[in-house]
Amino acid sequence: MTSDVNGRNRASRERLNGVIARLGDRDARVDEDWTAAALLAHLAFWDRLAASRIAGYLRTGEAPAPAPAIILEYTNAGGLRQWSDTPLKVAAAQARDAALAFDRIVESLPSDKLAYLKGLGRPFLIDRSEHRKEHLDQIERALA
């Protein structure tokens, strides 16, 4: 269980680093609203939030509160301008740092704490690979 989650997170972080290297200094337009830089800043935000949620659980022993889908939509809508204004190099560095920080906190979880978080049935709490994959796929399509 632990190695699967850590392996997926690590592989997605390595892919993130590869995509950032492919971008170099060019910001790719992903669609009408999003650029590669905005998506990288978005990923950084959500990885930092996920790490904060785990840190809160470790500090208090309380399960991270679920967020309704509408709150996620509002957060993304509210963050888009800021993420879009983030320069590519800054967004890339933030995405790399946040992914590494998140992956390290999950890797350091005692097995009982990891099992508890996994048992909540909200895999994104400990596994960021699917969210990273979604947006890295978008960036790679824009680069093609």
Side-chain angles (χ1 to χ4, degrees):
M1 167 177 73
T2 304
S3 62
D4 291 348
V5 168
N6 291 333
R8 285 190 303 273
N9 284 333
R10 184 175 36 260
S12 67
R13 187 180 73 242
E14 290 169 359
R15 183 176 174 211
L16 170 71
N17 291 331
V19 169
I20 289 169
R22 280 186 56 205
L23 279 167
D25 290 332
R26 62 190 167 127
D27 194 3
R29 169 115 348 242
V30 173
D31 64 26
E32 172 179 317
D33 296 321
W34 292 85
T35 63
L39 283 174
L40 292 173
H42 164 90
L43 283 172
F45 170 84
W46 286 107
D47 276 358
R48 284 191 306 265
L49 179 64
S52 294
R53 295 177 83 194
I54 292 174
Y57 160 64
L58 293 173
R59 191 174 52 258
T60 67
E62 294 179 27
I70 193 66
I71 295 300
L72 304 178
E73 283 184 46
Y74 291 156
T75 302
N76 286 331
L80 180 57
R81 172 67 190 271
Q82 183 174 352
W83 299 329
S84 295
D85 288 349
T86 305
L88 177 61
K89 285 197 179 292
V90 173
Q94 288 181 359
R96 271 195 299 266
D97 293 349
L100 181 59
F102 176 82
D103 292 359
R104 283 186 175 159
I105 198 170
V106 173
E107 289 168 358
S108 72
L109 285 171
S111 59
D112 62 321
K113 305 264 188 225
L114 182 65
Y116 174 77
L117 290 170
K118 186 174 182 179
L120 294 174
R122 295 182 277 154
F124 57 86
L125 288 172
I126 57 171
D127 186 343
R128 302 297 302 147
S129 65
E130 285 302 313
H131 188 230
R132 293 174 190 164
K133 177 187 181 314
E134 174 188 353
H135 296 310
L136 294 174
D137 287 351
Q138 290 174 295
I139 294 169
E140 286 184 326
R141 281 193 300 271
L143 288 172

